[in-house]
Amino acid sequence: FGVDSIMLPPWRCGKTVVPFLCRTARSCRHRVPRRELSSRSKEERAVERQEIWSDISRGYFADFHEFRKTGGKRFEAADQLCSRKEATRFPLISGRSLTREGVELPAALKGHVSLVLISFRAYGLRMSQLYLEPFAKEFGSNMSVKVFEVSLVEKLFYRMLRRWMERNLKREIPRERHPSFMVYTGGGLKAIKETLKLGNTIVGHAHLLDREGLVRWRAHATPTDRELQTLLRCTGQLLKDSKPK
């Protein structure tokens, strides 16, 4: 599900995360071709290590601190759709589903009103189900509606665990959801996070797309009853207002 799936509880991260990551980085370093290592100076490798540590410090620990204070919820979702003019186009994310088929978003969703659930960690994945369950109950039989789940895996030493994570996901995720569940291990995560405003990486994120791949509504963290009602209402509105092309 994510690195936190195999770590001790987060409140002990200060003592456990860094040693784990360092051991992983050391083991991964031996797999890098010697030619690539020799082409990089000690200074360049030192800068890279410092950047990795800075990202961890500013990222996971900052997110966890926020999560402890607010549950990771920075705001409550809007009670209506944003206009097409204000909407953000869903970024290109290509990867492989749990059935090992190539998938490219948002192309795979074109012509459908879609709910895209994004998570970085096991906790966020479980949180995403709070959006999925009422949505599937309401629109599961509607052929004009799609649901897609994306697990974004951060950093090279996390990506090294891809196969292990996929095996665990296949055991945990119901088989009927495997074709619509992607594990993304590519680059450009910073740009994806900025485009979709994925603030806290511990929590789950929900994005409602129209038929053209525009994000018309979004929410994150544990949904309130009002947010779930808004999600269902806005989906119904998109189905009425838009026509498939």
Side-chain angles (χ1 to χ4, degrees):
F1 287 66
V3 170
D4 57 342
S5 307
I6 57 175
M7 286 183 178
L8 295 177
W11 49 87
R12 297 177 62 184
C13 282
K15 296 182 179 179
T16 60
V17 171
V18 176
F20 172 80
L21 295 180
C22 291
R23 286 198 301 271
T24 306
R26 285 198 296 268
S27 64
C28 293
R29 188 167 60 217
H30 293 298
R31 301 177 185 178
V32 179
R34 292 181 179 273
R35 185 178 303 171
E36 182 178 337
L37 284 176
S38 62
S39 65
R40 297 159 57 201
S41 67
K42 290 183 178 180
E43 290 76 13
E44 289 174 328
R45 295 197 293 272
V47 169
E48 182 180 18
R49 287 194 296 271
Q50 182 59 42
E51 288 177 349
I52 290 174
W53 171 242
S54 296
D55 283 346
I56 295 171
S57 300
R58 290 194 303 266
Y60 185 85
F61 295 120
D63 287 350
F64 178 67
H65 179 70
E66 179 186 56
F67 180 79
R68 291 190 66 180
K69 292 179 63 177
T70 67
K73 201 167 187 70
R74 298 184 176 185
F75 58 86
E76 190 166 346
D79 60 1
Q80 60 184 1
L81 295 168
C82 70
S83 67
R84 294 181 71 258
K85 185 176 181 180
E86 299 173 325
T88 300
R89 183 165 296 280
F90 195 86
L92 173 64
I93 300 179
S94 59
R96 191 173 63 176
S97 71
L98 291 182
T99 56
R100 296 182 174 274
E101 296 178 356
V103 181
E104 185 176 285
L105 300 180
L109 306 174
K110 189 173 182 180
H112 297 79
V113 174
S114 306
L115 176 65
V116 180
L117 301 170
I118 298 177
S119 60
F120 294 82
R121 310 180 191 282
Y123 189 84
L125 176 58
R126 292 192 293 270
M127 191 176 286
S128 298
Q129 308 314 299
L130 300 177
Y131 295 91
L132 175 61
E133 291 172 3
F135 189 86
K137 183 177 180 180
E138 183 73 18
F139 300 105
S141 61
N142 193 319
M143 300 301 292
S144 295
V145 175
K146 280 190 174 183
V147 176
F148 216 96
E149 299 173 79
V150 181
S151 176
L152 298 179
V153 184
E154 297 182 281
K155 304 302 179 186
L156 176 61
F157 34 75
Y158 292 169
R159 295 172 196 152
M160 294 297 181
L161 304 174
R162 183 185 64 186
R163 292 183 180 179
W164 178 86
M165 285 187 288
E166 285 184 356
R167 286 197 298 269
N168 280 271
L169 284 168
K170 287 179 179 179
R171 285 198 293 265
E172 297 293 333
I173 302 297
R175 185 176 295 274
E176 61 270 17
R177 284 164 49 195
H178 286 189
S180 59
F181 195 110
M182 176 201 299
V183 179
Y184 177 79
T185 57
L189 284 186
K190 183 177 180 180
I192 292 173
K193 288 192 286 187
E194 290 177 352
T195 300
L196 295 177
K197 299 180 174 63
L198 305 176
N200 192 299
T201 59
I202 294 177
V203 303
H205 299 264
H207 295 80
L208 183 63
L209 279 59
D210 63 19
R211 298 183 192 269
E212 297 178 15
L214 297 176
V215 179
R216 304 292 298 277
W217 185 86
R218 65 188 180 94
H220 68 294
T222 301
T224 64
D225 290 339
R226 188 190 69 81
E227 286 177 320
L228 292 177
Q229 293 170 5
T230 301
L231 170 61
L232 301 182
R233 175 169 49 80
C234 287
T235 302
Q237 182 179 337
L238 286 176
L239 289 170
K240 291 180 181 179
D241 293 349
S242 59
K243 297 180 179 180
K245 294 183 178 181

